[in-house]
Amino acid sequence: MSRVGVYPVAIPTGVDVSIADGAVKAKGKNGEQIVKILDNVEVTIEDNAVKVTPVKMTKRARQAWGTTRALIANAVQGANEGFVRRLEVNGVGYRAQVQGSTLKLALGFSHDVNYPIPSDLKIVIEGDRNNIIAISGASKQRVGQVASEIRAFRPPEPYKGKGVKYAEETILRKEGKKK
């Protein structure tokens, strides 16, 4: 039995949730999110909450049960509040800045790395040293994907910790060469 799928997804005020054409649509102040419903589960709206139940108790239905509930919860939260992922740029001369619709990163290469900002996301530079990149948007998947792509330009290295890392990430540091 699913431990996640059992709980209903509460619909906050300001979010309109509807079920049509095999999909759940959550519309709020941050836009509209759509989650496709699989054949193995049934989705209903009762008492200002979205309930997900399996059609049959097969292995596939139980797998889809919790996943569908989690995707609907993420869509509702994204339409209401949105998601934020922060990246930290560490290193001498490493910096980030937003120029129009492009994120410009100086990461120790002979050239700057230009990353085009997707139209559905918002990227802001925070921190006193212009070293924190805040990526925000309505889709949890898109925010995480863009954060992963930016981090991949220069992942943190274990000796000095230079590179781009998630703000909550801890880098296991290695000891340098012995003399």
Side-chain angles (χ1 to χ4, degrees):
M1 188 157 139
S2 174
R3 297 169 191 216
V4 175
V6 174
Y7 303 108
V9 178
I11 302 172
T13 56
V15 178
D16 180 41
V17 178
S18 62
I19 301 170
D21 301 328
V24 176
K25 294 181 184 180
K27 191 170 187 176
K29 63 183 177 188
N30 284 346
E32 184 178 65
Q33 295 294 307
I34 299 171
V35 177
K36 292 182 181 173
I37 302 171
L38 299 174
D39 296 335
N40 301 328
V41 294
E42 189 177 280
V43 180
T44 57
I45 299 175
E46 299 172 3
D47 301 327
N48 208 22
V50 180
K51 285 189 169 189
V52 181
T53 53
V55 176
K56 296 178 186 171
M57 274 298 181
T58 61
K59 182 177 181 181
R60 194 81 167 133
R62 287 193 318 266
Q63 290 171 344
W65 186 12
T67 303
T68 304
R69 189 260 179 216
L71 290 174
I72 292 171
N74 287 341
V76 169
Q77 183 182 345
N80 187 31
E81 303 166 13
F83 294 95
V84 177
R85 191 74 193 223
R86 286 184 171 74
L87 298 171
E88 202 173 297
V89 181
N90 293 322
V92 177
Y94 288 22
R95 69 180 64 83
Q97 61 187 99
V98 175
Q99 291 181 341
S101 64
T102 304
L103 176 66
K104 190 173 182 181
L105 300 165
L107 298 174
F109 298 121
S110 61
H111 60 282
D112 288 344
V113 177
N114 294 322
Y115 185 82
I117 299 172
S119 60
D120 59 336
L121 298 180
K122 182 179 172 190
I123 296 181
V124 178
I125 305 301
E126 299 174 346
D128 54 341
R129 299 181 308 164
N130 294 338
N131 66 333
I132 297 175
I133 304 167
I135 305 162
S136 59
S139 172
K140 187 174 188 176
Q141 190 276 331
R142 290 281 295 145
V143 170
Q145 180 69 38
V146 169
S148 173
E149 289 172 3
I150 293 171
R151 182 185 182 275
F153 288 128
R154 179 73 86 169
E157 55 95 17
Y159 295 101
K160 292 184 180 179
K162 292 167 50 171
V164 181
K165 70 177 190 88
Y166 297 115
E168 66 277 358
E169 181 180 14
T170 323
I171 301 169
L172 294 175
R173 302 294 288 270
K174 292 183 177 178
E175 191 176 338
K177 190 195 283 190
K178 303 255 180 168
K179 288 189 178 184

